[in-house]
């Protein structure tokens, strides 16, 4: 949808004389669009732009959720104007994703039964048992601190005790660091795909777009799964998200890289294994950094 402009004949910023085709000043870059109009015109423009953006979001999410790999394919061949840019979409969805995780992690033990969080999973434990376990962990940590001779390990034990002493602060710190971890994981996964499909002579950016769309999908289905869990307490969020994400990854690889079913499957196995391994390694690294920052 083209933007309707009320054009100046002369740039109000630098005085450049506009030609009819100039939507921006060639001299200073200011937009050639007069905003000094009645409020009703500005309101109409706002809703016009908002509805157009909503249409782009709907088209983007429809392809992302229900047609694995098609959004990436359209981006790679240059069909981009009708869809939200991949990185902008990722940032927007990731903000919602970590906000939902923070709310979920902050719920009471009764409300969180059967749920998973990025830090510690506790299922079906009574409050007394949790308290006794925490006291035992603190006592063990104190004993280890006294027994360890290595300065590094002793410092690590002290940091770990500090980290676990405030559950809410530890959760928030871990969530914040996990968001950075996922930001690192995206280009790494793109590089893994680049290595496996290097004979197709594709630019790395194409694999990076695949990775961004895949992680955006992962965030979306996790948000949906957490919403389902809110109404169905027995719903296994982590199990469903894990298998749906793997299926989506395979179907997206099949569409984007256009190889046979079995050839794609033979690449999918090591690609998914390396992804899960790197995810685990990065999460452990994130946990270590979170503890050391305590």
């Amino acid at each position: 949808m083209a933007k309707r402009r009320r054009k100046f004949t002369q740039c109000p910023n630098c005085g450049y004389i506009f030609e009819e085709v100039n939507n921006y000043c060639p001299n200073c870059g200011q937009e050639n669009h007069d905003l000094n109009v009645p409020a009703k015109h500005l309101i109409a423009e706002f809703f016009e732009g908002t509805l157009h953006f909503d249409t782009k979001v709907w088209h983007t999410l429809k392809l992302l959720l229900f047609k694995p790999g098609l959004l990436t394919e359209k981006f790679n061949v240059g069909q981009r104007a009708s869809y939200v840019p991949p990185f902008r979409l990722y940032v927007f969805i990731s903000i919602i994703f970590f906000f939902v995780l923070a709310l979920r992690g902050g719920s009471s033990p009764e409300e969180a039964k059967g749920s998973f969080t990025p830090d510690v999973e506790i299922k079906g434990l009574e409050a007394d048992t949790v308290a006794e376990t925490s006291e035992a962990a603190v006592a063990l940590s104190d004993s280890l601190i006294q027994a360890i001779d290595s300065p590094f390990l002793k410092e690590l034990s002290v940091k770990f005790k500090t980290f676990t002493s405030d559950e809410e602060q530890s959760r928030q710190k871990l969530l914040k660091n996990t968001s950075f971890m996922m930001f690192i994981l995206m280009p790494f996964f793109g590089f893994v795909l680049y290595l496996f499909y290097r004979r197709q002579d594709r630019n790395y950016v194409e694999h990076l777009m695949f990775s961004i769309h895949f992680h955006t999908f992962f965030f979306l289905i996790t948000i949906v799964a957490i919403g389902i869990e809110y109404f169905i307490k027995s719903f296994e969020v982590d199990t469903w998200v894990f298998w749906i994400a793997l299926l989506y990854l395979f179907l997206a690889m099949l569409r984007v890289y256009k190889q046979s079913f079995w050839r794609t499957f033979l690449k999918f196995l090591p690609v998914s294994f390396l992804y899960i391994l790197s995810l685990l390694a990065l999460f452990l690294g994130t946990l270590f950094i979170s503890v050391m920052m305590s």
Side-chain angles (χ1 to χ4, degrees):
M1 181 184 295
K3 181 177 181 179
R4 292 195 296 263
R5 298 175 183 272
R6 292 174 295 277
K7 294 184 176 182
F8 293 104
T9 57
Q10 183 176 2
C11 178
N13 185 53
C14 69
Y16 179 87
I17 304 300
F18 285 124
E19 298 179 10
E20 182 61 29
V21 295
N22 294 140
N23 292 327
Y24 293 87
C25 178
N27 188 44
C28 68
Q30 179 166 295
E31 185 177 13
N32 185 8
H33 184 45
D34 185 7
L35 296 177
N36 188 20
V37 294
K40 64 179 181 179
H41 291 291
L42 294 179
I43 295 173
E45 284 186 9
F46 171 77
F47 281 106
E48 178 183 318
T50 302
L51 290 174
H52 179 48
F53 180 76
D54 286 346
T55 302
K56 290 178 67 172
V57 170
W58 169 244
H59 286 321
T60 303
L61 293 181
K62 184 170 64 173
L63 292 189
L64 182 69
L65 286 171
F66 304 112
K67 300 199 173 184
L70 184 57
L71 192 61
T72 304
E73 189 175 51
K74 284 183 175 293
F75 182 91
N76 290 342
V77 299
Q79 298 177 15
R80 306 171 185 176
S82 300
Y83 308 100
V84 180
F87 187 72
R88 186 185 301 175
L89 180 67
Y90 171 83
V91 171
F92 177 71
I93 298 298
S94 66
I95 290 173
I96 300 176
F97 171 76
F98 285 104
F99 177 73
V100 169
L101 280 188
L103 290 179
R104 186 169 183 263
S107 59
S108 65
E110 289 77 11
E111 294 172 338
K113 281 184 180 179
S115 65
F116 78 102
T117 60
D119 46 343
V120 179
E121 186 175 354
I122 300 177
K123 294 185 177 182
L125 295 179
E126 297 295 334
D128 292 342
T129 305
V130 173
E132 292 172 3
T133 304
S134 300
E135 291 174 2
V138 171
L140 179 60
S141 177
D142 290 337
S143 301
L144 287 174
I145 292 173
Q146 295 176 0
I148 291 174
D149 291 330
S150 170
F152 173 74
L153 293 179
K154 182 171 290 189
E155 181 185 2
L156 181 60
S157 299
V158 172
K159 293 284 188 181
F160 183 76
K161 181 181 178 182
T162 304
F163 180 76
T164 55
S165 62
D166 189 335
E167 181 181 351
E168 183 58 30
Q169 184 178 357
S170 300
R171 180 186 295 112
Q172 294 302 324
K173 186 178 296 184
L174 192 58
L175 277 173
K176 180 181 178 181
N177 292 336
T178 300
S179 65
F180 287 110
M181 177 205 77
M182 297 300 293
F183 203 74
I184 295 172
L185 185 62
M186 275 195 312
F188 176 77
F189 184 53
F191 182 69
V192 170
L193 292 169
Y194 172 78
L195 293 177
F196 275 87
Y197 289 99
R198 61 187 181 277
R199 292 186 178 179
Q200 292 195 357
D201 196 28
R202 292 174 179 263
N203 293 324
Y204 169 73
V205 172
E206 295 184 41
H207 306 290
L208 179 60
M209 292 305 107
F210 183 103
S211 179
I212 291 176
H213 285 143
F214 171 69
H215 285 90
T216 305
F217 171 81
F218 174 79
F219 288 164
L220 274 173
I221 60 167
T222 303
I223 294 169
V224 172
I226 291 174
I228 295 174
E229 183 200 39
Y230 181 81
F231 297 99
I232 306 174
K233 299 301 182 183
S234 60
F235 184 75
E236 294 289 341
V237 173
D238 44 354
T239 302
W240 279 98
V241 168
F242 177 79
W243 289 112
I244 291 175
L246 283 183
L247 177 62
Y248 184 93
L249 175 60
F250 173 74
L251 294 176
M253 289 173 62
L254 194 64
R255 182 191 295 272
V256 172
Y257 296 107
K258 302 189 182 308
Q259 293 184 335
S260 67
F261 179 93
W262 289 111
R263 194 170 183 181
T264 301
F265 183 74
L266 289 175
K267 288 188 177 181
F268 164 76
L269 292 177
V271 165
S272 58
F273 174 76
L274 285 174
Y275 177 79
I276 294 171
L277 191 65
S278 59
L279 181 64
L280 178 61
L282 281 172
F283 179 75
L284 290 176
T286 301
L287 180 60
F288 174 77
I289 292 173
S290 300
V291 170
M292 293 305 294
M293 289 174 61
S294 299

